[in-house]
């Protein structure tokens, strides 16, 4: 379960908090409108947060990775937002 202290890492100035309970958090970047759903099936065991991501509200989620904590998952989300777009490779 996410603790109250864990949930404090969600900056409401940067993320719009869509949904939050002791096992699930859904947030949206106020800058890019990207969304993350972070699920916590076995917290606090390492590697227990599963991060799902989507680029638009209408798109389906895809698995974006795993993290040990909610704070680490949020940090990974921020890194993803700050990355420049990758060039499209056509084979």
């Amino acid at each position: 379960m996410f603790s109250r202290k864990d949930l404090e890492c969600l900056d409401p100035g940067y993320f719009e908090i869509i949904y939050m309970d002791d096992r699930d958090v859904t947030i949206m970047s106020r800058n890019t409108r990207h969304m993350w759903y972070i699920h916590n099936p076995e917290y606090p065991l390492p590697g227990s947060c599963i991060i799902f991501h989507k680029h638009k509200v209408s798109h389906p989620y895809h698995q974006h990775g795993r993290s040990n904590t909610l704070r680490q998952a949020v940090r990974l989300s921020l890194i993803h937002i700050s990355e420049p777009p990758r060039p499209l490779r056509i084979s």
Side-chain angles (χ1 to χ4, degrees):
M1 293 191 325
F2 293 126
S3 70
R4 176 62 65 200
K5 184 174 178 165
D6 293 324
L7 298 173
E8 290 174 1
C9 74
L10 300 172
D11 179 357
Y14 196 86
F15 290 111
E16 182 175 339
I17 300 167
I18 308 296
Y19 179 80
M20 177 171 58
D21 67 16
D22 62 344
R23 291 193 179 264
D24 300 293
V25 173
T26 303
I27 55 178
M28 180 170 58
S29 164
R30 293 186 186 278
N31 293 343
T32 64
R33 312 305 281 173
H34 288 197
M35 296 185 70
W36 286 268
Y37 164 58
I38 304 165
H39 178 61
N40 180 349
E42 302 173 327
Y43 193 83
L45 297 175
S48 60
C49 292
I50 305 168
I51 307 165
F52 298 91
H53 175 254
K54 63 182 175 177
H55 295 268
K56 294 184 180 181
V57 174
S58 60
H59 290 178
Y61 281 104
H62 57 271
Q63 189 168 337
H64 192 69
R66 291 182 171 265
S67 68
N68 294 329
T69 64
L70 178 60
R71 185 173 300 277
Q72 184 182 36
V74 169
R75 211 173 304 128
L76 291 170
S77 301
L78 292 170
I79 290 169
H80 178 76
I81 291 170
S82 65
E83 288 179 354
R86 294 185 186 139
L88 180 63
R89 291 186 180 178
I90 301 174
S91 305

